[in-house]
Amino acid sequence: MEKRQVLVALALLLVLGSVVSLGYVGATYGTVITRDATNAAKAILNSNFQNSLVGAEFRGVEEQILVTTKPLLGFPIEGDSYVILSSGDARYVTQGSTYDVENVGGLSIPGGHPVTGEDIYDVARLEITLEVPYGAKELSFRWRMVSDDYSPYNDFFYAYVVFPDGTKKVAATILNGTIPYITPIEPYLTSINGQDGVVLWRMSSIYVAKVDVSQYQGEKITLVLEVGDEGDSIVDTAVLIDDLKFDVPPAYFIYNRMMVIAQVWTLYFFRLHDDFDGVYANASAAGVDNETLALAKELHENATRMMMEAWHTDNLDDIKLRVWGAIPTYPRLHLVRKAYVMERDAVNMLLDAMKELGGG
């Protein structure tokens, strides 16, 4: 208990206005805020799944969350950035400080500890809403806890997924299946020993959090990441988080690339299709011969039918819903390409005919 007693005494000196130089301890923290956290979510997301992001929200004091590119304790894992979420000032982890004695004024939740039911303080919460890709089986991410705390003071990391029906599933656990908090994770903590300049005391291994999402393909889920203090609001715990991704078959990435190509060709088709009637009217007025007009009209109508067939519908307006996933559809790519080329030929045929009549 000697360490905690020293830290508490130092905290009291600060409250009484004594002049103590303790790095960030002298910082003045703001009130609890709710803000957009899109950049934090993108820093955690694997680069292959950036398009799965729907939105993100942070709740806590601004200094409790940090997006960083500084290599520390095995992070970043994928890409060049990751997130540190802390019950104190997240900057301690990257820049170091003599002590982490601080009440940052984060969220306080009576009886909010996910395991012990004790009151929790200085809680920081990051919520990331994602759309589950088709073919996805699991959602996963990597995390490592770093802490100055020790039992029986049970700082915690609570990560869970909220499904569309409101049910929750715990994502992050340690080897015995328990939500990570100090007492059960303590046997697995090892000394940091100033590695990478980090002055916090101990760290866990890098764990992989996993949740089965196979029943929610095409739907929106929310990953909640929460760090906080139990029993005090002084000694801090932080979690490094990165490589948030879905486990999908390799064909998913091929599917994604093919869908992008199909979307581009379809958009090009619609630009030409929407211009056709105007170009046709101008060509007719300019005196383009009936044979050319008829051939261009035939190409236009064939291209329209072919595009609808490619997208498995008989309505052009319906394609606009399908092309962006409002109606999940995988088109016949060869027909999309052929329809686009045919529509392009129909428009160019009329434009070329008008140029010839106009003498170039």
Side-chain angles (χ1 to χ4, degrees):
M1 292 299 212
E2 181 179 344
K3 178 182 176 182
R4 181 171 296 273
Q5 289 169 349
V6 170
L7 293 172
V8 171
L10 287 169
L12 289 173
L13 285 173
L14 286 171
V15 172
L16 293 173
S18 298
V19 179
V20 180
S21 178
L22 296 176
Y24 285 126
V25 172
T28 300
Y29 296 98
T31 57
V32 171
I33 60 169
T34 300
R35 69 162 176 83
D36 178 78
T38 300
N39 288 338
K42 288 180 177 179
I44 295 173
L45 269 166
N46 182 287
S47 56
N48 288 319
F49 297 97
Q50 295 286 322
N51 290 336
S52 296
L53 179 62
V54 176
E57 180 178 284
F58 172 73
R59 177 81 171 155
V61 174
E62 188 69 45
E63 290 83 0
Q64 290 183 276
I65 186 169
L66 179 68
V67 176
T68 181
T69 59
K70 184 175 182 178
L72 290 175
L73 308 181
F75 285 73
I77 291 173
E78 194 276 339
D80 60 3
S81 60
Y82 60 102
V83 163
I84 300 173
L85 200 62
S86 178
S87 63
D89 190 326
R91 295 172 298 178
Y92 284 131
V93 183
T94 62
Q95 298 185 29
S97 180
T98 306
Y99 296 96
D100 56 347
V101 181
E102 191 62 67
N103 177 357
V104 297
L107 289 169
S108 295
I109 306 174
H113 195 288
V115 179
T116 68
E118 295 295 322
D119 296 347
I120 53 178
Y121 309 92
D122 283 344
V123 178
R125 181 184 299 132
L126 175 61
E127 299 182 6
I128 303 173
T129 300
L130 303 164
E131 183 174 315
V132 181
Y134 289 94
K137 299 176 182 179
E138 286 184 334
L139 175 71
S140 68
F141 63 90
R142 305 292 183 96
W143 62 274
R144 165 171 264 167
M145 179 183 282
V146 294
S147 181
D148 268 356
D149 219 345
Y150 53 92
S151 60
Y153 301 95
N154 282 310
D155 290 4
F156 66 93
F157 173 48
Y158 186 26
Y160 59 91
V161 172
V162 182
F163 295 113
D165 59 3
T167 58
K168 298 179 181 179
K169 177 69 174 180
V170 173
T173 60
I174 56 177
L175 296 178
N176 61 7
T178 301
I179 292 170
Y181 64 103
I182 294 299
T183 295
I185 203 173
E186 200 162 31
Y188 305 106
L189 299 179
T190 58
S191 177
I192 295 175
N193 285 327
Q195 182 178 335
D196 297 330
V198 178
V199 299
L200 275 76
W201 181 22
R202 296 182 295 180
M203 64 182 175
S204 71
S205 299
I206 296 176
Y207 289 99
V208 180
K210 294 182 179 181
V211 174
D212 184 346
V213 296
S214 58
Q215 298 181 41
Y216 302 96
Q217 297 176 24
E219 298 186 65
K220 295 179 178 61
I221 62 173
T222 298
L223 172 65
V224 181
L225 305 167
E226 192 173 270
V227 177
D229 286 326
E230 181 207 73
D232 69 82
S233 55
I234 300 173
V235 181
D236 296 330
T237 293
V239 178
L240 284 60
I241 307 164
D242 196 18
D243 197 24
L244 175 60
K245 62 186 178 183
F246 292 95
D247 177 24
V248 295
Y252 166 79
F253 300 104
I254 298 174
Y255 167 85
N256 263 4
R257 288 192 288 270
M258 300 303 281
M259 277 299 296
V260 170
I261 294 171
Q263 289 167 344
V264 170
W265 284 342
T266 302
L267 290 176
Y268 285 163
F269 165 84
F270 272 114
R271 289 178 186 174
L272 294 166
H273 185 275
D274 292 344
D275 289 342
F276 180 83
D277 287 342
V279 175
Y280 184 89
N282 291 338
S284 180
V288 173
D289 65 272
N290 289 335
E291 183 179 354
T292 300
L293 291 172
L295 181 55
K297 188 77 168 180
E298 182 181 358
L299 286 173
H300 168 71
E301 291 172 350
N302 287 341
T304 301
R305 284 193 293 270
M306 190 172 295
M307 185 60 75
M308 290 189 292
E309 181 183 353
W311 283 97
H312 312 285
T313 181
D314 58 2
N315 188 317
L316 279 181
D317 289 335
D318 193 37
I319 293 176
K320 295 175 182 179
L321 296 175
R322 293 171 186 268
V323 75
W324 297 120
I327 301 175
T329 304
Y330 184 72
R332 299 173 184 172
L333 191 62
H334 71 288
L335 292 182
V336 172
R337 168 69 178 172
K338 192 172 182 180
Y340 154 62
V341 171
M342 194 176 293
E343 189 69 25
R344 183 190 64 189
D345 290 347
V347 172
N348 286 342
M349 180 181 296
L350 297 174
L351 293 175
D352 290 342
M354 285 191 284
K355 286 181 181 179
E356 288 180 8
L357 289 172

